[in-house]
Amino acid sequence: MSYGTATRDDIGGLIAFWQVAGENDGRPVDTPDAVARQLERDPDALIVARAEGRIVGTVIAGYDGWRAHLYRLAVLPSHRRRGIARELMRRAEARLAAFGVSRIDAMVLEHNELGQSLWSSLGYTQQSDWRRWVRGV
């Protein structure tokens, strides 16, 4: 297993990976242009795990100068329960801590029981007094 950051050469593989491994309900469809913009804006944010050169896990550790956010934590179903998500999170949290952040948040769908179990095991707690508001552009 190797870990590193995604590159433009990974865009097609990332899109395909998230279609299989990601939680995609209620969210905009990932596009190559959107991933390319993310990589251009913050090339170190998208952390990937690879097995035999193939993407098997991802997390985006974003920091906007004010808040730290985690997105697209996903592991290929055939590679789950091997510690990949934990290692991705260790790397993501270290990256964000280097910015001096005091809090990290993650968006997890309410019906994503597997995701909620993982986040809870990593020490994250639900923030019940907030609701997310969204609007398409």
Side-chain angles (χ1 to χ4, degrees):
M1 191 72 51
S2 66
Y3 295 86
T5 55
T7 69
R8 290 186 67 83
D9 292 340
D10 292 318
I11 292 173
L14 288 163
I15 299 292
F17 168 78
W18 288 327
Q19 289 174 346
V20 173
E23 178 60 68
N24 298 307
D25 291 345
R27 61 180 314 282
V29 174
D30 295 308
T31 66
D33 287 343
V35 177
R37 284 191 306 273
Q38 191 281 317
L39 291 173
E40 183 176 316
R41 183 186 175 284
D42 189 355
D44 296 327
L46 207 165
I47 303 166
V48 296
R50 298 177 198 275
E52 299 176 9
R54 179 177 169 208
I55 296 170
V56 297
T58 64
V59 66
I60 299 174
Y63 178 62
D64 61 13
W66 184 258
R67 300 271 192 257
H69 308 281
L70 296 166
Y71 306 94
R72 298 311 255 158
L73 176 62
V75 174
L76 203 61
S78 62
H79 286 69
R80 291 180 182 160
R81 303 221 179 264
R82 298 183 190 185
I84 296 169
R86 287 185 183 278
E87 179 60 19
L88 286 165
M89 285 299 300
R90 186 191 69 73
R91 291 167 182 264
E93 289 173 343
R95 175 181 197 269
L96 297 171
F99 290 118
V101 304
S102 61
R103 183 178 84 161
I104 302 170
D105 69 46
M107 295 182 294
V108 183
L109 291 169
E110 290 200 23
H111 70 272
N112 183 347
E113 292 178 17
L114 180 62
Q116 289 189 38
S117 175
L118 174 67
W119 290 105
S120 179
S121 74
L122 293 170
Y124 288 75
T125 58
Q126 279 189 332
Q127 187 172 4
S128 60
D129 56 338
W130 284 80
R131 291 292 180 257
R132 181 178 158 131
W133 295 56
V134 298
R135 176 178 169 235
V137 178

